[in-house]
Amino acid sequence: MDGQSLVEVLLQQTDVLQKMHSVVVKQREALKEKHLELLQQLMKEQQSLAFEGEALEQERRRLAGRLSSAYHCAPTIMEFCSFLPEQEGVELREAAEALIPVVRNLQAEIGILSRLVDENRALSDILLAEWRRLEGMAAPGCGGLDMSV
C-alpha cells in the first residue's frame, strides 16, 4: 500500500536532510576559516543533496495525494494514520515525527550560515570601500598621500 511507500520516502528525506545539515555545518566552518576551495566542494555536495531532497519531496507529495484520494481525506499524517492498519500508521507517525526535528535543525543551521555570509559580505564591502578611498588619496594631484616609488 502507499502508506509503507510514504514511510520509506519520509525516512529517505530524513537521511538526506541529515546529510545536508552536516554539509551546512561544514560550510559554516569552511567560511569562518576562509577555506574557499573546500567551500566550493561543499556547495556542490549541497546542491546534489538538494536535488535529491526535491525529488523525494515530489514523491512524498505524489504518495500523499494518492492516499488522500484513496481515503477521501486531508493529506495529513494524522488523517492517513486513522485509515491505515495500526502498525503501518505507527510507522508513518514515527517517520514523520523523526523528520520534524531534522528539518528544524537544518533551518536553524542555514539561518546561521546566512547571517555569517551576510557578515562576511558586509566586511568585504567595508574593506573594498576603504581600499578605494585610500587609492583615491594616492592619486597624483589629489593632495593626498604620495605612494609613488
Side-chain angles (χ1 to χ4, degrees):
M1 187 68 184
D2 288 328
Q4 190 58 43
S5 297
L6 187 55
V7 168
E8 291 171 19
V9 168
L10 290 174
L11 293 174
Q12 290 172 355
Q13 280 186 305
T14 300
D15 183 57
V16 167
L17 293 180
Q18 285 173 331
K19 288 176 184 175
M20 192 177 292
H21 179 268
S22 176
V23 168
V24 171
V25 169
K26 290 175 188 175
Q27 285 176 332
R28 177 172 43 91
E29 295 303 317
L31 184 62
K32 283 174 30 179
E33 296 177 17
K34 309 293 190 244
H35 290 124
L36 299 180
E37 190 174 304
L38 176 59
L39 188 57
Q40 288 175 331
Q41 175 189 352
L42 291 168
M43 294 296 284
K44 289 177 185 175
E45 190 174 341
Q46 181 186 12
Q47 183 179 24
S48 174
L49 288 167
F51 286 139
E52 187 177 348
E54 180 61 31
L56 287 168
E57 178 60 16
Q58 289 176 5
E59 179 65 6
R60 185 197 64 78
R61 288 180 186 197
R62 185 186 70 75
L63 291 169
R66 284 177 57 183
L67 282 172
S68 180
S69 294
Y71 296 125
H72 305 290
C73 66
T76 65
I77 297 297
M78 295 312 292
E79 287 285 328
F80 297 154
C81 289
S82 68
F83 289 100
L84 293 171
E86 185 177 349
Q87 183 57 37
E88 201 171 333
V90 167
E91 290 174 11
L92 180 59
R93 191 175 310 108
E94 288 174 353
E97 288 172 355
L99 181 59
I100 293 169
V102 173
V103 170
R104 288 187 182 138
N105 289 341
L106 179 58
Q107 288 171 331
E109 195 61 46
I110 287 173
I112 291 168
L113 181 60
S114 178
R115 287 188 296 280
L116 186 58
V117 167
D118 289 344
E119 288 173 11
N120 275 323
R121 185 179 320 142
L123 179 59
S124 295
D125 290 346
I126 290 168
L127 288 173
L128 186 58
E130 184 63 14
W131 287 337
R132 287 182 178 153
R133 186 185 70 77
L134 290 173
E135 184 178 62
M137 288 178 58
C142 289
L145 299 172
D146 183 6
M147 298 179 80
S148 60
V149 182

